[in-house]
Amino acid sequence: VYPVDLEVLDALMTRTRGDPTHLNSLVCWLWENQYIGLREGEYSFLSDAAQEMAHTHVPGDVAQSVRARLDELPGKAQKLLKIAAAIGKVFSLGTLERMAKADAFSDVSHEGSDKDSLKNGEVVQSTLETLQDYGFIEHSGDSKRITRGAVKPRVQFRIARLYGKNDNWKFSVDIVQEVVVSCIPQARLEKLKSLLKFALREI
């Protein structure tokens, strides 16, 4: 058994955060395409280009799996997830709420009660809980101190809100955020980026 170079480990863990399915897919893809191999007694990148690919490429089976999971989401949850993805791999609830509200107000095709739309902060929060239940995102920071096996994600979220803990969130796996962004049409992505600048100015 040969050791694995730290740069390879860093790339794999950064992209997959240890998710076994995504980790296996990325390792297999790198190996099959000869981006990693045995060199000087350890498994390492075989070129600088190989290292770049490890940090940017999304294996086809991973992308297909994420898109299938995305399609299973209710429409409102899918829309909010794409807004979150446009912010980045890590985002705050406040920024997400401001973006979702601005986006809903700019949607002239929207019909129905405002209390049921993403203009409503409570709707954003409940939809965020849905995304957490589906495993797309997770609360970061203080909620990690709570034993995950004993407390459900929704309860962790509400405890954090109740006690004023930090409202930072992140995608459970970096590759997931990258795939979600790739599912956003370019014109729509540009609009979301503009809304992000607006939301950040309000902080």
Side-chain angles (χ1 to χ4, degrees):
V1 178
Y2 295 96
V4 179
D5 182 74
L6 290 178
E7 289 185 343
V8 175
L9 289 175
D10 178 65
L12 293 174
M13 296 307 295
T14 297
R15 298 294 305 292
T16 69
R17 296 195 184 173
D19 181 280
T21 301
H22 297 148
L23 180 60
N24 182 67
S25 294
L26 186 56
V27 168
C28 288
W29 183 84
L30 290 169
W31 179 262
E32 290 168 359
N33 287 276
Q34 299 183 338
Y35 288 122
I36 57 175
L38 192 59
R39 186 171 64 176
E40 297 181 1
E42 64 180 6
Y43 291 103
S44 60
F45 291 117
L46 299 181
S47 67
D48 291 340
Q51 186 170 357
E52 177 68 20
M53 291 298 290
H55 281 283
T56 58
H57 180 76
V58 179
D61 58 337
V62 173
Q64 185 176 3
S65 173
V66 173
R67 291 189 187 108
R69 290 173 56 210
L70 185 62
D71 289 340
E72 293 174 359
L73 288 173
K76 196 175 298 180
Q78 190 174 138
K79 185 173 186 177
L80 190 66
L81 185 66
K82 290 179 178 178
I83 293 174
I87 298 174
K89 295 178 173 65
V90 179
F91 57 93
S92 71
L93 176 60
T95 299
L96 183 65
E97 286 179 334
R98 286 188 289 274
M99 279 190 67
K101 185 175 182 179
D103 184 53
F105 272 114
S106 67
D107 184 4
V108 295
S109 65
H110 173 74
E111 297 179 358
S113 171
D114 284 355
K115 72 176 184 179
D116 296 323
S117 79
L118 293 177
K119 296 176 186 177
N120 187 323
E122 291 183 0
V123 174
V124 171
Q125 292 173 29
S126 64
T127 305
L128 204 59
E129 292 176 0
T130 298
L131 294 173
Q132 188 178 31
D133 288 343
Y134 272 86
F136 282 99
I137 62 171
E138 60 187 44
H139 192 263
S140 63
D142 293 308
S143 66
K144 289 182 178 180
R145 298 173 187 171
I146 303 169
T147 303
R148 293 186 181 275
V151 184
K152 293 181 179 180
R154 283 178 180 266
V155 179
Q156 293 178 22
F157 172 55
R158 288 167 182 166
I159 290 174
R161 291 287 292 168
L162 179 64
Y163 290 101
K165 304 296 185 180
N166 80 66
D167 278 335
N168 290 327
W169 292 78
K170 64 182 179 182
F171 278 79
S172 55
V173 181
D174 287 5
I175 285 180
V176 169
Q177 184 265 349
E178 295 164 15
V179 174
V180 174
V181 168
S182 73
C183 294
I184 306 173
Q186 186 60 36
R188 170 68 174 160
L189 185 59
E190 290 176 1
K191 176 186 176 182
L192 291 176
K193 292 296 185 182
S194 295
L195 290 176
L196 176 58
K197 293 179 181 178
F198 173 78
L200 293 176
R201 282 202 300 268
E202 290 191 342
I203 295 177

